[in-house]
Amino acid sequence: MQFDVTALEPATLVFIGTMIFAFVLAAFVMAAAFVALVFVGIGKLIWTIVVAILMALVHGINHLWDRLVHHASKVELPSDLHGQSGSGTGSYSRVALKDS
């Protein structure tokens, strides 16, 4: 038994065609939305990784700087470097710096 399309009214054919077009259009919109969500997710993942790397880098620099400052505070100056009183009005004494 074959289905005879010519037996349908033109209004029925227009309705069926409209529904097929609506389903195709809806599928396209859903596929585009899914692709957009995938791109947003990938972008968020990349941004999270970049932020984590930068925060780890800043934390490492701060940690190294803290270690350097604590180490420098424990180092005793040689006896040939003494504070000098300066002619300035500041409250800090002048320090003679030695070349490395």
Side-chain angles (χ1 to χ4, degrees), residues 8-90:
L8 295 175
E9 291 184 22
T12 305
L13 291 175
V14 169
F15 177 75
I16 291 172
T18 303
M19 296 311 297
I20 291 172
F21 181 73
F23 286 132
V24 169
L25 189 61
F28 175 76
V29 170
M30 289 188 326
F34 179 73
V35 169
L37 283 173
V38 168
F39 283 154
V40 168
I42 290 171
K44 174 74 173 174
L45 177 66
I46 291 172
W47 178 252
T48 303
I49 291 170
V50 167
V51 166
I53 289 171
L54 289 176
M55 291 300 290
L57 183 64
V58 169
H59 180 70
I61 291 171
N62 285 340
H63 178 69
L64 290 175
W65 181 257
D66 192 43
R67 285 182 52 193
L68 179 68
V69 168
H70 284 298
H71 177 70
S73 68
K74 295 178 182 177
V75 173
E76 294 187 23
L77 295 175
S79 60
D80 60 341
L81 295 176
H82 299 287
Q84 301 175 355
S85 60
S87 61
T89 59

